[in-house]
Amino acid sequence: MAVTKTHPIKSTLKKALDYICNPAKTDGKLLVSSFGCSAETADIEFAWTRRHSIDKGINLGRHLIQAFEPGETTPEQAHEIGMQLAKEVLGGKYEFVLTTHIDKGHIHNHLIFNSVSFADYKHYHSNKRSYHYIRRISDRLCKENGLSVIIPGQDKGKHYAERAAEKEGASYKAKLKTAIDRLIPISSDFEDLLRRVQSEGYEIKRGKYISCRASGQERFTRMKTLGADYTEEAVAARIAGRSRPSRQPKKDDKRINLLIDIQTNIKAQESVGFAHWAKINNLKQAAKTMNFLAEHGISSYTELEERTESAAIKTDKLLASVKVTESCMVDLAVLMKHAATYRELKPVYDAYRKSSDKEKFLRGHESDIILFEASARALKEMKIDKLPSAEKMTAEHEALVTDKEKLYAEYKAARQEAREYSTIKQNVDSLLSVPKEQEREKYTER
């Protein structure tokens, strides 16, 4: 299990980087990695990228912490998981420094990344959606590496303070929902409901959306944020006697779902109603499965196996192609960054080399010299003898973007087909196993 949290760095970037790279905490810096920059000069390289950006935002960088359950992972595994997390979340567009600390009772990763992308010079937008994206990737990586994960419950997406308040019965949203539910049966229309809500001490604000604020509440709560049953249209419909949006029957889609194993399903064993629904559902899914086989001309189990395997292989190949293209895009973006820095600062470095008083020259251009030398080292590590033109690299990057979009569209279609065939095969396996189960039951009865 890994717990993640993130916060902005507004003014202490160098201090934060020095802290996470502390040799005493990172096994003598063996557990320090970086991307698009050097860990030793990251603060200067972050600033250089920000200098070229119009949309800088207000932060110098962001600090992400990923903490693991004590005794559940090794420092090396934790560092690798942190690297995978950084690459997936940042997409090879932001410089970052990743370290793994082993000085406490639990192993944890520190990831500091630039607030501005060196690929397109746009600043990173941090919000609830981006945080939940980080958490989902972290949970998936933990699961893939055999670590425990946090199981999301009904409170998913709620702020901690709101969950705590709701447990104590003090959530403003929960109280407003209770008041609306209680007043709907005695209200003649939506306006009458608002008057009754107002008479209970709520302040009503009209605008594009109707908002309410209880006594002592700091901010107004839009009714639409309470859920699908509390939008203005939904409340008006409920007052008129129509069913709640969340309880309206869903449109029957054409997707084929897995058959439910009624014999082993706990809910089916505990609920007669659910068991009855499951039997009807299984009949529908079985019919859809047979129709699929007929429509696709599959007349034997062997042919179904071959189609399923072929769809899975095709999906894997396309995904591998997408990942190769993404890797090429990342490598090219890093090359473009260092090449641009090298070209821009080479005149300064040449002047430094020719200067009669290098120490004096360095005092006025220290950051530029450090940046140039860092880019020169990076290009040497990439084994770049001659810099390609900026126009050529830009054209190559655009071609890679086009290729990725095409490949990803093909991959999504192939993945859907593979999932469909997998579901069909599992349903057929279930249907073929029914007679065997029945024969076993008859034999047992004898």
Side-chain angles (χ1 to χ4, degrees), residues 368-380:
D368 291 345
I369 300 302
I370 291 173
L371 281 169
F372 177 84
E373 291 178 341
S375 291
R377 283 195 304 271
L379 291 169
K380 186 177 180 180

Side-chain angles (χ1 to χ4, degrees), residues 342 345-355 361 369 372:
Y342 184 94
L345 295 179
K346 192 174 189 307
V348 179
Y349 189 75
D350 288 343
Y352 164 68
R353 292 288 299 272
K354 295 175 183 177
S355 174
F361 189 96
I369 300 302
F372 177 84

Side-chain angles (χ1 to χ4, degrees), residues 9 11-20 40 43-44 60:
I9 300 175
S11 60
T12 57
L13 179 61
K14 181 67 167 65
K15 185 177 179 181
L17 287 164
D18 288 344
Y19 169 77
I20 70 168
E40 290 74 21
D43 60 316
I44 299 174
L60 302 180

Side-chain angles (χ1 to χ4, degrees), residues 240-436:
R242 296 193 292 273
S243 61
R244 295 186 178 205
S246 62
R247 294 180 183 175
Q248 292 175 357
K250 295 181 180 179
K251 293 181 180 179
D252 185 30
D253 57 34
K254 296 182 179 180
R255 288 182 303 174
I256 303 173
N257 297 316
L258 287 171
L259 296 174
I260 299 171
D261 188 346
I262 299 174
Q263 300 299 322
T264 59
N265 187 280
I266 297 176
K267 194 171 182 179
Q269 300 300 316
E270 295 176 346
S271 170
V272 176
F274 181 82
H276 178 70
W277 173 87
K279 289 177 182 178
I280 297 174
N281 175 74
N282 282 353
L283 288 173
K284 292 180 180 178
Q285 301 308 321
K288 288 182 179 180
T289 298
M290 294 301 108
N291 289 338
F292 180 93
L293 295 173
E295 290 171 3
H296 290 76
I298 301 173
S299 57
S300 69
Y301 185 79
T302 301
E303 190 176 355
L304 175 60
E305 283 185 313
E306 290 173 352
R307 295 269 191 102
T308 304
E309 184 179 359
S310 176
I313 291 172
K314 180 181 178 182
T315 303
D316 290 341
K317 285 182 177 179
L318 284 168
L319 179 59
S321 297
V322 170
K323 289 187 177 296
V324 168
T325 305
E326 287 178 338
S327 179
C328 291
M329 289 173 61
V330 169
D331 292 342
L332 184 57
V334 174
L335 172 59
M336 291 170 71
K337 176 215 169 186
H338 288 304
T341 303
Y342 184 94
R343 284 196 178 99
E344 188 171 343
L345 295 179
K346 192 174 189 307
V348 179
Y349 189 75
D350 288 343
Y352 164 68
R353 292 288 299 272
K354 295 175 183 177
S355 174
S356 57
D357 190 347
K358 289 184 172 54
E359 188 174 339
K360 181 180 179 181
F361 189 96
L362 186 62
R363 284 198 297 270
H365 301 84
E366 185 176 8
S367 294
D368 291 345
I369 300 302
I370 291 173
L371 281 169
F372 177 84
E373 291 178 341
S375 291
R377 283 195 304 271
L379 291 169
K380 186 177 180 180
E381 290 173 2
M382 295 179 194
K383 298 180 180 179
I384 303 297
D385 297 324
K386 183 179 180 181
L387 288 181
S389 67
E391 293 78 12
K392 182 180 178 181
M393 289 189 290
T394 300
E396 186 178 348
H397 192 271
E398 289 175 353
L400 285 170
V401 171
T402 302
D403 289 344
K404 181 193 169 183
E405 290 175 351
K406 181 181 177 182
L407 284 168
Y408 192 72
E410 292 176 6
Y411 163 70
K412 285 178 67 177
R415 181 181 62 183
Q416 179 61 33
E417 183 183 28
R419 287 175 176 174
E420 198 168 31
Y421 270 106
S422 177
T423 300
I424 292 295
K425 185 178 179 300
Q426 290 182 68
N427 284 351
V428 170
D429 288 340
S430 297
L431 291 169
L432 291 175
S433 69
V434 171
K436 296 179 181 179

Side-chain angles (χ1 to χ4, degrees), residues 194-240:
L194 292 181
R195 285 192 293 270
R196 292 178 185 275
V197 170
Q198 194 170 19
S199 67
E200 296 210 357
Y202 283 91
E203 184 180 351
I204 306 296
K205 184 171 74 172
R206 297 175 183 272
K208 185 177 180 180
Y209 302 104
I210 299 295
S211 302
C212 306
R213 181 168 66 180
S215 176
Q217 185 178 352
E218 184 179 352
R219 296 181 179 179
F220 280 88
T221 300
R222 288 180 177 177
M223 289 180 62
K224 75 182 190 75
T225 65
L226 300 177
D229 295 329
Y230 298 90
T231 63
E232 295 172 40
E233 296 79 8
V235 170
R238 290 170 62 189
I239 293 172

